[in-house]
Amino acid sequence: MFKSRHPLRPLAWAFLALVPAPLAGLPLAGGEVAARLEKGFALALFLCALAAFLLTREGKTADPGAEDGGRAEEGRGPEKGPGSDGGGE
Amino acid sequence: MMALHGIDIAVCLWCLLVLAWLGFRFPGRAGGGFEDWLLAGRKLPWGLLGLSMVATSFASDTPLAVTGLVGKGGIAGNWLWWSLLAGTTMTACLFAAPWRRSRLVSDVEFAALRYGGNPGGCLRGFRALYMSLFFSGIILAWVLKAMGVVLVVLLDLDPRWNDAVLYGLVALALAYTLASGLWGVVATDLVQLVLASFGAVALAVLASAEAGGQEGLRARLVDGLPAGPAGGFDPFSFLPDLGGQGLCEGAGLLLLFQLSMQWWAVVFPGNEPGGGSYLAQRMLAARSPKDARRGITLYVLLHYALRPWPWIFVGLWAAGRYALPEDQVEKGYVFAMRDLLPPGLLGLALAGFLAAFLSTVDTHLNLAAGYLVNDLYKPLLARRAGPRHLLRAARLALLLVAAVALWFARSVTSVAGAWKILIALGAGTGLVLLLRWFWWRINAWSEIAAMTASFACAFVLEPGLRAFVLGREGAEAWSAWSGLPASPIPGEGARLFAIFGASTLVWLGVTLMTPAVPLARLRAFYERVRPSGLWAPVFDGKRPPEPAADLRSALVDWALTTFLAFCLLFGVGKLCFGDPLAATVLLLAALLAGFLLWGNAGAASAPRSSAPRRRPRRGSESS
């Protein structure tokens, strides 16, 4: 689950790294509502991280079923995609 | 005195560090070439696209602007931008898929694909310069100004240090956009959106707790908003108050224009009828036409229906709490942050603001550099350049754009005045931007005439625009020379109707008097995009290939999506403001519209997949 070459895998780590940020303010939270908000936010970030880990696990690629000739994800050359010059001058 | 504690600064810096790390994680993906850098290799799924657009449209000035609207006109003050909803759903249902099928690199390039020739080339060059330097300069100046307001209240630093913090943030956005392109932009957008949204919700919850909930807030605002017009009005009403005037006069006429025409007739920066600027960039970067369409639909629902409610609540709370003068109402949001958020949460909310600022700056830097390279440098100087060469050029262009934008932000004294030019150029051009997809007869001169006529009309009718362009003395000299009163048509609504009417007459006349685009180019455009509408004459009596989508079905989708978005908007609003019965009815209606939309999508796709369809020629598909 933690090793993946999916392009968006760094997102999962970023969300996980942010979990301590709301918890850092907890000792000074200043009231029950604020403390619940801090905990709620930490939980939300953790769930975001979990979702991102699951969505970017090995086997899930960023471009399944591209409708118009999408290219392979890795090892592509510098050439353009089909029709990418947009019919310009 | 600085409102932040040590823990706030630590939390804020940690968030920025994580964002910077994330922003620099994609250089490999962006390094394949110019298209990979600008359009993320056209691989973005719809969820990421939609959320990224929501993050971009959430700038540091947005909560402040909503607070200002609510403080002056109550909840109904938001009709200024809610009126644009139908235009964005139209983009989702009618234009997102054609944009993606066009396989353009930028929306400005449309002129070359659709019109070609010298007029098309000139239009493309003008738009590229205008969008990359002027448009981006104004947007960046605008968000820098708003972020400055937030920092002044919360950090209370010396102005020079305030500027240093702002420029440091711009440098951060510049660095990761340089390295990672659109991949970096959309990935950071997602985290930025979570941070910024949570900050807004936390503030609204604490404002509600402080006011004693719904009833407490109502009691504070019972006599109308302190900053509102004399006589008072119900700040909780969702429908606009016309102050006793009819729909054909004063504020009523303006509202009539906003509701009936603004969303399709006026080009607002970021709200181009049919899609443009960053919306078009995201549609072009989608991995398929279907993803482009779903991405915009998600954006509409989140941007219009869900996101504004915490800001509106805080705006009402601030209006009741601070009684600020009319030109200071917007600051109420930052004062609320300062006074309501405890240590820790304040740092997170500030991080959310900084994130919103970064997500707007990185998108516009990336987009502007793309325009300069794809629509100026490449057609004029580097027709045969490879993708890596163009990528290097784009990275240099990014530095140029950032420098120009910062210069713009420092030297243009009135951002509002510069904004007027943007709106004046687009006040009567919306229709031509829509019809260019549906009517073969539209040519480059139509767009050039629409912009010119729109600007000329606005110049004659809008005293504010004249003062910005000519200066106060020049504007007075103009009035003396022309003999016209300062404002020949009183009332903004009447002025907008006049500008639209005159511009439409001019561009229609010019279109019919100038030659049509060569048929070969129109056929190439049609075969690539396969739009609906009036294209039969292009094929000289032969039967044209079937359009990619059934127009009637797309129109039904549009009506249902608009209905769904409005029901969701007001349903969530009623839920927030304590009317569960109305909320239930509206949310059920939204659910029904969602089911119908789902069914219509299935019905629309079924005949196309089962009917024998002429296969496009291999050459036309991959040319």
Side-chain angles (χ1 to χ4, degrees):
Chain A
M1 178 172 166
F2 292 103
K3 281 189 178 176
S4 164
R5 294 174 69 190
H6 192 284
L8 296 172
R9 173 48 59 104
L11 259 176
W13 290 110
F15 277 123
L16 198 62
L18 285 172
V19 171
L23 297 177
L26 208 52
L28 300 164
E32 195 187 335
V33 179
R36 261 188 277 162
L37 283 169
E38 301 263 29
K39 287 179 200 162
F41 190 26
L43 181 65
L45 283 169
F46 179 74
L47 292 177
C48 283
L50 193 63
F53 274 120
L54 290 174
L55 288 171
T56 59
R57 67 186 186 276
E58 210 72 69
K60 292 234 169 201
T61 58
D63 59 342
E67 283 184 15
D68 62 339
R71 288 165 289 168
E73 215 175 354
E74 298 293 342
R76 60 178 173 267
E79 78 285 353
K80 289 178 177 193
S84 60
D85 66 355
E89 289 298 289
Chain B
M1 200 183 75
M2 189 191 274
L4 298 179
H5 293 71
I7 191 72
D8 294 320
I9 295 171
V11 164
C12 204
L13 286 177
W14 176 246
C15 293
L16 285 180
L17 201 67
V18 172
L19 280 173
W21 172 82
L22 184 63
F24 285 109
R25 290 295 298 172
F26 300 91
R29 305 240 144 234
F34 178 58
E35 250 187 81
D36 287 345
W37 184 82
L38 184 68
L39 297 176
R42 300 193 202 265
K43 288 187 173 69
L44 294 181
W46 63 273
L48 203 57
L49 274 181
L51 293 172
S52 163
M53 283 184 276
V54 180
T56 297
S57 63
F58 183 168
S60 43
D61 67 310
T62 325
L64 275 65
V66 170
T67 303
L69 292 174
V70 169
K72 291 170 196 163
I75 293 175
N78 288 289
W79 276 102
L80 183 70
W81 65 283
W82 286 346
S83 61
L84 300 170
L85 188 153
T88 320
T89 51
M90 182 168 63
T91 300
C93 299
L94 273 79
F95 298 98
W99 269 117
R100 180 60 186 84
R101 281 196 298 273
S102 74
R103 298 196 298 274
L104 295 171
V105 176
S106 78
D107 57 314
V108 166
E109 195 183 344
F110 184 91
L113 175 67
R114 170 73 171 76
Y115 311 129
N118 286 336
C122 289
L123 184 63
R124 180 182 182 185
F126 167 75
R127 278 248 163 89
L129 267 179
Y130 163 76
M131 293 294 290
S132 58
L133 301 180
F134 191 64
F135 174 84
S136 296
I138 290 175
I139 300 265
L140 288 170
W142 194 266
V143 294
L144 275 166
K145 193 177 152 221
M147 198 65 230
V149 170
V150 177
L151 293 181
V152 162
V153 176
L154 295 181
L155 297 182
D156 196 25
L157 293 172
D158 179 83
R160 273 180 302 174
W161 281 107
N162 219 32
D163 284 354
V165 173
L166 280 178
Y167 295 154
L169 289 168
V170 174
L172 173 64
L174 180 67
Y176 72 70
T177 312
L178 261 175
S180 300
L182 191 62
W183 271 116
V185 170
V186 293
T188 48
D189 275 357
L190 208 58
V191 178
Q192 288 158 355
L193 180 65
V194 172
L195 283 176
S197 303
F198 182 79
V201 170
L203 190 57
V205 170
L206 290 170
S208 172
E210 194 279 338
Q214 234 355 272
E215 296 308 312
L217 192 62
R218 264 177 205 281
R220 274 193 197 170
L221 294 166
V222 73
D223 293 325
L225 298 173
F233 56 92
D234 179 10
F236 291 90
S237 170
F238 286 17
L239 298 174
D241 183 281
L242 298 180
Q245 290 180 314
L247 264 182
C248 292
E249 51 185 333
L253 198 59
L254 180 59
L255 180 71
L256 187 66
F257 184 84
Q258 285 170 349
L259 293 182
S260 64
M261 290 179 67
Q262 182 162 276
W263 48 273
W264 59 269
V266 178
V267 176
F268 269 120
N271 267 300
E272 297 81 358
S277 68
Y278 68 88
L279 241 59
Q281 186 200 23
R282 300 296 200 276
M283 291 188 269
L284 293 169
R287 67 183 172 188
S288 71
K290 199 183 279 181
D291 282 271
R293 193 189 140 168
R294 286 181 179 172
I296 302 273
T297 307
L298 178 67
Y299 161 72
V300 172
L301 297 181
L302 295 179
H303 172 70
Y304 286 99
L306 293 180
R307 197 181 51 185
W309 290 109
W311 300 336
I312 290 172
F313 199 94
V314 175
L316 286 171
W317 180 89
R321 170 78 169 72
Y322 298 115
L324 295 164
E326 199 160 330
D327 60 337
Q328 302 271 314
V329 180
E330 294 189 352
K331 284 187 181 171
Y333 193 89
V334 194
F335 292 154
M337 281 172 69
R338 182 194 62 192
D339 297 341
L340 286 174
L341 294 170
L345 265 184
L346 181 56
L348 265 181
L350 178 61
F353 249 89
L354 298 182
F357 173 73
L358 286 175
S359 70
T360 307
V361 170
D362 59 18
T363 291
H364 284 284
L365 288 176
N366 177 262
L367 185 63
Y371 286 135
L372 275 184
V373 170
N374 185 61
D375 301 301
L376 268 181
Y377 177 68
K378 187 179 157 194
L380 291 179
L381 300 169
R383 280 171 187 246
R384 296 185 185 281
R388 287 182 191 278
H389 175 101
L390 291 177
L391 175 59
R392 282 195 296 275
R395 285 177 164 154
L396 282 175
L398 192 69
L399 293 172
L400 173 71
V401 169
V404 169
L406 287 176
W407 170 81
F408 204 95
R410 284 195 76 85
S411 55
V412 174
T413 47
S414 167
V415 180
W419 201 259
K420 281 180 195 294
I421 293 191
L422 280 182
I423 294 176
L425 273 169
T429 56
L431 188 57
V432 75
L433 294 187
L434 297 180
L435 286 181
R436 63 187 186 170
W437 294 92
F438 296 110
W439 186 26
W440 69 282
R441 195 59 183 78
I442 299 282
N443 59 25
W445 292 110
S446 316
E447 285 199 42
I448 295 169
M451 274 195 296
T452 313
S454 181
F455 186 81
C457 293
F459 184 84
V460 172
L461 299 178
E462 293 271 4
L465 178 65
R466 275 202 305 278
F468 180 75
V469 175
L470 301 175
R472 187 178 293 173
E473 287 177 7
E476 282 169 8
W478 155 268
S479 294
W481 175 79
S482 66
L484 291 169
S487 186
I489 299 180
E492 200 180 342
R495 270 203 297 272
L496 285 167
F497 273 114
I499 291 171
F500 172 77
S503 312
T504 304
L505 282 178
V506 169
W507 75 252
L508 261 178
V510 168
T511 302
L512 297 174
M513 282 189 290
T514 47
V517 175
L519 293 186
R521 179 162 290 278
L522 289 173
R523 277 195 290 268
F525 170 78
Y526 183 88
E527 278 166 7
R528 182 185 285 202
V529 179
R530 299 207 312 280
S532 307
L534 301 169
W535 293 96
V538 171
F539 290 86
D540 286 334
K542 294 176 201 152
R543 196 173 166 212
E546 287 290 310
D550 174 30
L551 183 60
R552 195 180 301 171
S553 175
L555 289 171
V556 171
D557 275 359
W558 172 37
L560 284 171
T561 311
T562 309
F563 181 74
L564 163 67
F566 270 119
C567 286
L568 197 60
L569 167 67
F570 296 126
V572 174
K574 292 285 178 192
L575 204 61
C576 291
F577 286 94
D579 189 347
L581 182 66
T584 309
V585 172
L586 285 163
L587 292 176
L588 281 176
L591 202 64
L592 180 67
F595 275 124
L596 291 174
L597 198 58
W598 188 276
N600 191 49
S605 60
R608 283 208 302 278
S609 59
S610 58
R613 210 179 65 191
R614 212 182 83 180
R615 284 178 67 80
R617 283 181 295 122
R618 186 171 293 184
S620 71
E621 193 67 2
S622 60
S623 61

